Amino acid sequence: MVHLSLLATLVATVSLVQAQCGSGTPAAKVTGSGSSFTATKGSTNVYTGSDYRAAIQAALDSISSGQRVSVIASGSIGANTITISSGKIFEGCGTINVGNKSGRGAIESLNTQGVQIPYLTMTGNPYFGLRFYGTKDLVLGKITMNLSGGLGIRFDRDNPGSTNVKMDTISVTGAGSHAVETWNIDGLTITSVIAKNVGESGLLLQKTTNAKVGLVDGNNVGAGTGYATFRMANNNGQLASGAYTTNVFIDKVVSRGGGRGVFCVSQSGGVEIKAIDLASNGNNAILIENCYGVKINGGTVSGGGEVRISARTEFPNTKDISITATVNDNTVRESPCADNSTWKISGNAKLSIC
Ligand SMILES: *[C@@H]1O[C@H](CO)[C@@H](O)[C@H](O)[C@H]1NC(C)=O
Ligand SMILES: *[C@@H]1O[C@H](CO)[C@@H](O)[C@H](O)[C@H]1NC(C)=O
Ligand SMILES: *[C@@H]1O[C@H](CO)[C@@H](O)[C@H](O)[C@H]1NC(C)=O
């Protein structure tokens, strides 16, 4: 009996995420197209009209915590914001086109607990596609953003932090700024961030601790800038105690072209990257500048801008760095010398290290 009730609990938990967007029996749905949309909660109509955003918000406002809305219709919300409150499950099955509402997210969930967005397809040029702060137990599933500008997913800098954030596969194309930018998260798990033709960073972590990321994959990310496929900045990985004990774990960073490959700056660190695969980066393939506790355990750098350990005088010197990699058709430079740096470099790269 104990086992049966445990199984029932597991099944109930797992069944919150449907195998397909809109499958099963969502509590509310948005259907329609063009200038005619309908939102229903069960068999009750909660919106009929031409305003796609109003239909979506009416559906969301009609459900209770623990219930799900499936937006089957595609449409445009314009320069507006959809708000998701605690415990609600939001599925964007159609394509949600969005506009630019200055300083705001096209979809926001602020100071909430247990919100889930298992599926979302977004197009347009949002200021922020998804914007969050003060969330607890937020789950993002398969999120696809095919943008013509703006920033994909943003966790705010100047607002309350978030804990226990999970993301599955985040694919962002065409953002003018970052694909995913975090501030102030303690406890972050991401399966993958795939960024293509993005103006600034692929994944940018700031003041984020206890993070586990599978893959960061950038193609033409941050071209002509100092941003990177994977950037850590502003005390990322520094624990509340001030220590840089390893607490940010990345399985793999892949980067092609664009600006930098891996960039750690401004007193970040506490990070271990298991493997890199970087090629033809327009700026430094790797730049570690005023960071503490950075390990790169293996992989390849092929061409691109130089692999560099550096430091500016405004912060304490770079320290406790260990880089193992095969580097070809490039140079590896350490200047100024870091404290406690270990290089294990194979390949034909020219070395200028301490
Ligand atoms: C992304 O959008 C562009 C135009 O905005 C379109 O040409 C392309 O097919 C879209 N790609 C995907 C994967 O939706
Ligand atoms: C959004 O509008 C603001 C001005 O209100 C502008 O600065 C910003 O570049 C715009 N972003 C996009 C993605 O169009
Ligand atoms: C030197 O740095 C490595 C990481 O590369 C770290 O594991 C080790 O503890 C550091 N040694 C000292 C003496 O701090």
Side-chain angles (χ1 to χ4, degrees), residues 324-336:
T324 302
T326 302
V327 183
N328 284 309
D329 308 325
N330 203 324
T331 58
V332 177
R333 182 186 311 278
E334 181 177 1
S335 172

Side-chain angles (χ1 to χ4, degrees), residues 16-28:
L16 290 178
V17 175
Q18 300 293 320
Q20 256 193 312
C21 194
S23 67
T25 312

